[in-house]
């Protein structure tokens, strides 16, 4: 390895991860199976476009937001989540949301971290009627279980690899 590439590799290992500037989440969060979330989506779809919705799906992927996303999800990249928790809370409170469901690619890193931060905030403000949860297996688990069903912007080529 050249000195220049060795220095670059060393610099990469010296750089703290993006989440290092934020506190570690404290609150435990419930993990929902893909089947539970599918049931929520199907129930909501049966109510029509004007039906009340009690949950919000949040995809916290950033540049790896490929292959599609679980239907009706909003994308709030994980690196922006901590700072925007008060706004997310206010919007969910006003909309009557009871469960905020977070996920990333596999829901083993960003999804649980963001759900924990959100639950920490809900606990700090004394909010007992809204909870944060994690989609177990993330979008990869969803796609494995359901393929393109209930996915927006589904890209079969991405999943074929």
């Amino acid at each position: 390895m050249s000195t220049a590439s060795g220095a670059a590799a060393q610099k990469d290992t010296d750089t703290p991860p993006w989440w290092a500037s934020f506190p570690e989440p404290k609150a435990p969060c419930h993990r929902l199976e893909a089947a539970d979330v599918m049931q929520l989506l199907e129930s909501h779809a049966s109510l029509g476009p004007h039906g009340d919705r009690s949950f919000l799906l949040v995809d916290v992927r950033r540049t790896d937001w490929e292959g599609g996303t679980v239907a009706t999800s909003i994308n709030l990249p994980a690196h922006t989540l901590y700072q925007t928790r008060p706004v997310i809370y206010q919007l969910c409170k006003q909309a009557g949301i009871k469960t905020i469901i977070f996920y990333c690619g596999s829901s083993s890193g960003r999804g649980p971290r963001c759900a924990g931060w959100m639950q920490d905030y809900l606990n700090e403000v004394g909010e007992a009627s809204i909870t944060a949860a994690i989609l177990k297996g993330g979008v990869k688990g969803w796609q494995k279980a359901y393929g393109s069903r209930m996915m927006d912007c589904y890209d079969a080529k991405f999943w074929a690899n």
Side-chain angles (χ1 to χ4, degrees), residues 13 15 37 68-69 73 85 105 118 120 125 137 157:
T13 60
T15 304
V37 176
T69 191
S73 297
R85 295 176 310 156
M118 193 69 220
D120 287 347
V125 298
K157 292 178 198 164

Side-chain angles (χ1 to χ4, degrees), residues 72-155:
T72 74
S73 297
I74 62 171
N75 180 242
L76 297 174
H79 67 283
T80 66
L81 198 293
Y82 190 84
Q83 309 88 296
T84 58
R85 295 176 310 156
V87 173
I88 296 165
Y89 166 64
Q90 285 299 320
L91 291 172
C92 288
K93 185 78 172 170
Q94 292 168 5
I97 298 296
K98 300 297 179 202
T99 308
I100 310 167
I101 307 165
F102 292 88
Y103 69 92
C104 56
S106 63
S107 286
S108 61
R110 293 170 287 182
R113 186 179 311 281
C114 290
W117 284 332
M118 193 69 220
Q119 189 61 56
D120 287 347
Y121 184 81
L122 295 168
N123 293 347
E124 287 168 21
V125 298
E127 180 58 65
S129 66
I130 302 173
T131 59
I134 303 157
L135 171 59
K136 192 174 176 183
V139 73
K140 291 177 183 175
W142 182 273
Q143 192 279 333
K144 186 176 180 181
Y146 297 110
S148 63
R149 190 168 161 217
M150 288 289 198
M151 283 190 72
D152 292 334
C153 304
Y154 186 79
D155 180 359

